[in-house]
Amino acid sequence: MSRRPRNRPPVDLAGTTDLPVLLPAADSLARRAARERELGAALPRLDWRHGLVLLAVLLVSAGVAQAQAGAGREPVLEVLLRWMPVLLRGFLFNIVISFLAMAVGTLIGTWLGLMQISLLPPVRVGSWFVTQFFRNAPWLVLLFYCMFLLPFEFRIGGLVIPFPDWIKATIGLSLPVLANVSEIVRGAVNSIPSGQWEASESLAFNRRQILWMIILPQCVKRMLPPWMNLYAILTMATVLASIVGVSEMMTQAGRVLAAEDRPDLLIPIYSFVLLCFFVYCYPIARWTVALERRFQVKL
Amino acid sequence: MAWTPDQPLVSCKDVHKSFGAVEVLKGVSLDVAQGETICIIGPSGSGKSTLLRCINALVPIDRGSITVEGQEVHDPKLDKLALRRKVGMVFQQYNLFPHKSALQNVMMAPVTVLKQDRKEVEERAYRLLKKVRLSGKEQAYPGELSGGQQQRVAIARSLAMNPDVMLFDEVTAALDPETVKEVLVTIRELAEEGMTCLLVTHEMGFAREVADQIYFTDRGVIVEQGSPKEFFANAKDPRTQEFLSQIL
C-alpha cells in the first residue's frame, strides 16, 4: 500500500498526480496543461476536428439514408445538391439578420451601457433595469413579443411602411444583444483603473471628454473579444426566427423536407445545416481566442 | 475680495474629511505662499494624499475651508475646471494615458481643454519634454518607457497646463532607486525656478534639501512643522522623533 507523503500537493506543477480520482484523466490533462503553459493562454475547447465529425455524420447519414431508400430513388447527395441554393440562400438570410441585429444592438447597447455609469441616479437605475430585464429574459419569448406586438405595417399620413416578419425578428433578436452589449460596455469602463479618471480630472477634462477621449478608446480592446463571442451566439440564435415563420435556413430545411417527403433525408439535411453554422462560427471563435491572447492584460 | 500674491496661494483651514467611519483628516491647517516648496511627511494612512486630493477638489471635504488664490475650493458654485487649470497634480502611479504617445499625453489637455493652438502647444510640448530630459522619446508610448521616464512625462503633462501650483503625491514611491534621482532632479529644478510645489514624500534627504517648510502629519493632524533645519535637528514632538528615528 502506497501512501502519499503528508506535504505533497495532490497535483504537482508538472501535472502529475497520485490521486486515484484524477488518474484516468491525468495524462491528457497534463498534456493540455503543458501546451497551455507553452501558449500562455487557455486552449479553445472547440477545434476543427469537431467540424470533421459533423461532416462525417453528414456523409454517414447520407449513406445510411441511401441504403434504406433502396433502388429507384434519387441519391441523397444529389437531392442535397439540388436544394443547396435554397438552403444557402436561407443561410444568407440568417447572416443578414445577425448582422443587422448586432448593429442595432451594439448601437443602442453602447448608449445603454454609458447610461449605466451616468451620475444621474434615475438614468442609471432606469438603464440598469432595462439591461437586466432584457439580459435575463428568454430570447424566444422576446422574439414572440416582437412578432405579435409590432404591427405588420406603419402608416405615416398616406405613406405605408411595410414591416415584414424578418424585420420584426431582427428587432426581437437585437433586444438581448443590446442588453449584453450594455453590460460589456459597463464592465469595460469599470475595468479601467480609477487613476485614469483622477489624472484626467486633474487636467481639467470634463466628464464627457474623459469618457470619449480617454476611457472609451482604452475599452475597445477589452470589449472586442466578448463582443465577438456575443456575435457568434447571436448567429446561432437566428434559427429561432424559424419558429415565427421567417424564411431563414431552418425554415427552408423544413420546407425542403416537406417537399421531398422522404424521412431518410431528415438527418442529412439537418447535418448540413449544422455544418454551415459550424463553418461560419468556428473562425469567429478562433479569432476571438487569438484576440484575447493578444489583448491579455499585462500586469 | 481679490487675491494678491502676498497672501497664501493655497490655504487650508481646519480641514476635516471622513471616509465612512474613518476620519482621515481631523482639522488640518496649512498655508503655502507663492513660490514656496512644502513637503508633507508622515506615516502611511496619516491623510497626506487625501489632503492633496482635497486641494484640487478630487475629494470633497466635510468641514473647514481650502482656498486656492483666494477662491474657496469646496464652494458648490466653483468652476472646478477653472481650479484644476491652476493646480497641476502628479500621481504615484503616473497614470499616463496608455493609448497616447508621450507627446500626445502632454498636448491633449491644452488642446482640448484650453483650446489652444495645436502648433503652439506642440512646440511647448517638445520644449517641456526636453526640460524633463526626454528629447527623442516624444513618439514613445507609455508602455515603452521606464517608470522614471513615465513619471517625467506626467510632470511635463501637468506643466503643459501652466499651473500656478503643483501637487506631487509620492511621485517616487513606485520607482526603482536608480530612477528616483532623475525625477527628483526635475522637481528640484521646478522648485528653483519658483514654481509653488506641495510634495507628499518619503524621501527625507530630498525634503531636507528642497523644502522651505516641512509638515509632519500623523493620524489626520499636523503634529509638527518647521524649516528643514530645525525639523530634522530638533524635533519636539515624541511622535515625530519616533518617526524620524525609524527612517533616518
Side-chain angles (χ1 to χ4, degrees), chain A residues 19-39:
Chain A
L19 283 187
V21 287
L22 289 177
L23 278 179
D27 276 350
S28 69
L29 283 177
R31 269 201 307 274
R32 186 176 194 113
R35 279 197 58 203
E36 289 183 346
R37 261 198 300 282
E38 219 168 89
L39 279 169

Side-chain angles (χ1 to χ4, degrees), chain A residues 130-166:
Chain A
V130 172
T131 301
Q132 293 305 323
F133 181 81
F134 287 125
R135 215 163 78 98
N136 295 295
W139 291 42
L140 191 55
V141 178
L142 291 176
L143 201 57
F144 268 91
Y145 252 91
C146 281
M147 265 353 226
F148 300 121
L149 275 185
L150 296 174
F152 64 92
E153 60 183 28
F154 273 116
R155 282 168 192 280
I156 305 169
L159 192 70
V160 179
I161 304 169
F163 225 56
D165 277 354
W166 69 271

Side-chain angles (χ1 to χ4, degrees), chain A residues 185-264:
Chain A
V185 170
R186 186 189 62 85
V189 170
N190 284 346
S191 76
I192 302 291
S194 63
Q196 292 287 314
W197 284 93
E198 280 191 335
S200 28
E201 273 177 46
S202 77
L203 286 168
F205 286 100
N206 63 34
R207 196 177 158 83
R208 177 181 296 256
Q209 289 167 333
I210 297 175
L211 207 52
W212 288 99
M213 303 179 66
I214 291 147
I215 304 296
L216 285 179
Q218 297 182 49
C219 288
V220 173
K221 269 187 190 177
R222 295 170 193 225
M223 293 189 299
L224 209 51
W227 183 81
M228 285 168 60
N229 209 355
L230 180 62
Y231 176 67
I233 293 171
L234 167 69
T235 308
M236 292 182 273
T238 52
V239 292
L240 291 176
S242 69
I243 302 174
V244 289
V246 176
S247 305
E248 47 70 73
M249 197 183 204
M250 271 303 263
T251 315
Q252 299 298 55
R255 286 181 188 149
V256 167
L257 287 169
E260 285 291 325
D261 195 22
R262 278 173 61 179
D264 54 314

Side-chain angles (χ1 to χ4, degrees), chain A:
Chain A
M1 197 182 99
S2 68
R3 280 188 57 199
R4 197 150 51 86
R6 187 166 296 164
N7 35 12
R8 203 175 133 195
V11 181
D12 69 14
L13 276 177
T16 56
T17 176
D18 59 357
L19 283 187
V21 287
L22 289 177
L23 278 179
D27 276 350
S28 69
L29 283 177
R31 269 201 307 274
R32 186 176 194 113
R35 279 197 58 203
E36 289 183 346
R37 261 198 300 282
E38 219 168 89
L39 279 169
L43 283 172
R45 295 306 190 238
L46 189 72
D47 64 37
W48 56 272
R49 278 170 297 195
H50 296 97
L52 284 191
V53 170
L54 278 179
L55 189 63
V57 168
L58 173 66
L59 292 176
V60 168
S61 62
V64 170
Q66 189 60 35
Q68 280 176 338
R73 284 273 182 109
E74 195 182 0
V76 171
L77 286 180
E78 246 170 59
V79 179
L80 200 56
L81 217 58
R82 185 153 51 79
W83 288 111
M84 200 168 292
V86 174
L87 290 172
L88 287 182
R89 226 174 294 137
F91 188 55
L92 194 68
F93 207 13
N94 283 79
I95 294 175
V96 168
I97 291 178
S98 71
F99 261 80
L100 287 176
M102 199 65 194
V104 173
T106 303
L107 211 67
I108 301 176
T110 304
W111 284 104
L112 200 63
L114 292 178
M115 283 160 73
Q116 280 204 82
I117 50 166
S118 161
L119 292 180
L120 302 169
V123 175
R124 200 166 57 229
V125 173
S127 55
W128 174 84
F129 182 80
V130 172
T131 301
Q132 293 305 323
F133 181 81
F134 287 125
R135 215 163 78 98
N136 295 295
W139 291 42
L140 191 55
V141 178
L142 291 176
L143 201 57
F144 268 91
Y145 252 91
C146 281
M147 265 353 226
F148 300 121
L149 275 185
L150 296 174
F152 64 92
E153 60 183 28
F154 273 116
R155 282 168 192 280
I156 305 169
L159 192 70
V160 179
I161 304 169
F163 225 56
D165 277 354
W166 69 271
I167 291 208
K168 290 200 251 178
T170 305
I171 294 173
L173 286 171
S174 68
L175 292 177
V177 171
L178 69 87
N180 280 287
V181 169
S182 165
E183 281 295 89
I184 291 173
V185 170
R186 186 189 62 85
V189 170
N190 284 346
S191 76
I192 302 291
S194 63
Q196 292 287 314
W197 284 93
E198 280 191 335
S200 28
E201 273 177 46
S202 77
L203 286 168
F205 286 100
N206 63 34
R207 196 177 158 83
R208 177 181 296 256
Q209 289 167 333
I210 297 175
L211 207 52
W212 288 99
M213 303 179 66
I214 291 147
I215 304 296
L216 285 179
Q218 297 182 49
C219 288
V220 173
K221 269 187 190 177
R222 295 170 193 225
M223 293 189 299
L224 209 51
W227 183 81
M228 285 168 60
N229 209 355
L230 180 62
Y231 176 67
I233 293 171
L234 167 69
T235 308
M236 292 182 273
T238 52
V239 292
L240 291 176
S242 69
I243 302 174
V244 289
V246 176
S247 305
E248 47 70 73
M249 197 183 204
M250 271 303 263
T251 315
Q252 299 298 55
R255 286 181 188 149
V256 167
L257 287 169
E260 285 291 325
D261 195 22
R262 278 173 61 179
D264 54 314
L265 285 176
L266 238 110
I267 302 287
I269 297 240
Y270 283 126
S271 300
F272 177 69
V273 174
L274 265 181
L275 194 64
C276 284
F277 276 94
F278 182 88
V279 166
Y280 185 69
C281 291
Y282 175 63
I284 299 178
R286 286 314 299 257
W287 194 19
T288 308
V289 171
L291 282 178
E292 269 171 2
R293 200 173 299 156
R294 229 177 80 199
F295 296 153
Q296 237 172 20
V297 181
K298 291 182 196 81
L299 290 175

Side-chain angles (χ1 to χ4, degrees), chain B residues 36-66:
Chain B
E36 212 177 16
T37 300
I38 297 291
C39 283
I40 305 173
I41 60 176
S44 325
S46 60
K48 311 176 298 280
S49 296
T50 307
L51 182 65
L52 286 198
R53 281 170 162 70
C54 289
I55 292 175
N56 76 348
L58 282 178
V59 174
I61 58 173
D62 300 334
R63 202 141 54 79
S65 122
I66 298 177

Side-chain angles (χ1 to χ4, degrees), chain A residues 195-196, chain B residues 90-96 150-151 154 169-171 173-174:
Chain A
Q196 292 287 314
Chain B
V90 185
F91 299 85
Q92 182 179 346
Q93 295 297 339
Y94 341 127
N95 297 337
L96 292 181
Q150 288 190 55
Q151 194 59 289
D169 185 9
E170 296 190 32
V171 288

